[in-house]
Amino acid sequence: MGYLLKKNRSIYIFLILALLVLGSNYTVMVIQPFEPVTDTLILASLFDLTIVLPLFFYLFVVRNRLSIITLLPVVIAGFWFAYFIVPHHDLVIFEYVKYGIFALEGLFIAIELFLAAFLLRKIPTLYKNYKKQKEINYYYPPVMRMAMNKTFGPRKLIYILVYDFSIFYYGFFSWKKKWEDRKHLHSFTIHTNSGYFGLFIMLVHAMVIEVIGVHFLIAHFWSPTAAWIFTALDLYALLWIIADYQAVRLSPIVINDHKLFAQVGIRREIVVDLKTIKSIQPTITDKKERAREKHSFAITLPNFFEEDPQFEIELTESTLANLPFGLKKEMTKLYVTVDDKEAFLQAINRYLEKTKTDRE
């Protein structure tokens, strides 16, 4: 647990430092509070974005796992960010660095092609493992993650890839799918009686307006290239919102004979051994105390009007929850809101009574 917290803290430190580096260089080069922008400032900005930023990435994220595949995108992205924000490219070093970046991009593409060829050879095995995992898991992300781990071996990169795969899977390929109940399973939806659909529609409308408005503003006052970059990021955010709603719709809480499975959109997921459930009761923990808790997992959806979860479930031992990009966190309590709360309460109490009887 301590290792996970330390790792997460390092990532947050890198994000803060990266924002400082990007923001300060953008301010100096575009807003130009220190006019005129001298060649020395341009060289310093190029150094910050192609050397310092990748160095921070290595120290706080990669650390002892030096990998060209990991660092190359940061170097390339840093250079092109510098290239677009500096006021001119008269320095000879820009030409040399640009050709060097082209060479690095060529190397990166070659590595990607090699990996793609490797993946193509593994597709039959991956498909076989995927079908096996579908029989024992109920949601797309864990099914794909376990299938890839079995096919390629445990890799941290797999968690990032599966997260992106999930966005595209739910965003593009799940529109006609419906949840299908299986024998000996109890499933409980969490979205039908909530206001999440209305919130989803509102967010989609807001994002569409933002995509159009921001594109024209940036294109007019800054750069058409920058406008298309921001538009691509906005479209990705819009796809994320759509994918999250589709994942919510297709991912009810599932209880089988031994475990409880829950996935909240594409944001988080958890599997709880029913033997570790100590108690279930209507939520008595107030909002402020819930906000201070560091080891609670909310199986709830955002709404226009925030309400208390219907139930809080205490666990006798901690359970790992999966968060985006391979992050994990130990949980000792669940907060749950479902559409059919009476049936859910009966299902949990039935198991607790059975467990109590077996112990006696």
Side-chain angles (χ1 to χ4, degrees), residues 107-123:
L107 175 62
F108 189 65
I109 291 171
I111 293 172
E112 286 185 322
L113 289 174
F114 172 79
L115 291 175
F118 176 75
L119 288 174
L120 286 173
R121 292 178 56 191
K122 291 283 188 175
I123 283 178

Side-chain angles (χ1 to χ4, degrees), residues 300-319:
T300 59
L301 296 174
N303 206 334
F304 287 109
F305 306 101
E306 186 173 358
E307 298 178 352
D308 288 334
Q310 294 166 347
F311 304 107
E312 59 180 63
I313 299 176
E314 292 275 358
L315 304 179
T316 57
E317 58 185 64
S318 60
T319 299

Side-chain angles (χ1 to χ4, degrees), residues 121-222:
R121 292 178 56 191
K122 291 283 188 175
I123 283 178
T125 306
L126 177 62
Y127 180 69
K128 182 179 178 181
N129 288 330
Y130 180 82
K131 290 183 68 177
K132 286 183 179 179
Q133 290 301 316
K134 283 187 72 174
E135 297 176 0
I136 56 177
N137 285 289
Y138 308 107
Y139 315 124
Y140 174 81
V143 168
M144 178 57 75
R145 185 168 57 246
M146 291 301 296
M148 292 186 72
N149 279 333
K150 286 185 174 294
T151 304
F152 305 108
R155 298 284 189 277
K156 293 184 179 179
L157 179 62
I158 286 176
Y159 289 89
I160 299 175
L161 291 175
V162 168
Y163 189 70
D164 281 333
F165 291 166
S166 299
I167 293 173
F168 285 94
Y169 171 80
Y170 285 118
F172 291 115
F173 306 112
S174 64
W175 289 81
K176 294 184 179 181
K177 292 184 180 293
K178 295 182 179 179
W179 170 259
E180 296 180 1
D181 283 320
R182 306 184 194 178
K183 292 182 179 180
H184 311 297
L185 293 182
H186 301 281
S187 61
F188 305 91
T189 56
I190 64 174
H191 69 288
T192 305
N193 297 334
S194 75
Y196 185 58
F197 179 72
L199 184 62
F200 162 72
I201 295 298
M202 185 189 74
L203 288 173
V204 169
H205 284 172
M207 283 298 302
V208 170
I209 295 171
E210 179 186 324
V211 168
I212 298 171
V214 170
H215 177 88
F216 283 107
L217 282 173
I218 294 177
H220 181 73
F221 291 103
W222 185 14

Side-chain angles (χ1 to χ4, degrees), residues 11-23 53 56 60:
I11 293 174
Y12 296 143
I13 292 172
F14 166 73
L15 291 175
I16 293 170
L17 292 173
L19 288 174
L20 288 173
V21 171
L22 295 172
L53 186 61
F56 284 156
F60 292 100

Side-chain angles (χ1 to χ4, degrees), residues 15 32-33 234 260 264 310 314 350:
L15 291 175
Q32 298 184 3
D234 279 341
L260 179 150
V264 184
Q310 294 166 347
E314 292 275 358
R350 192 159 48 242

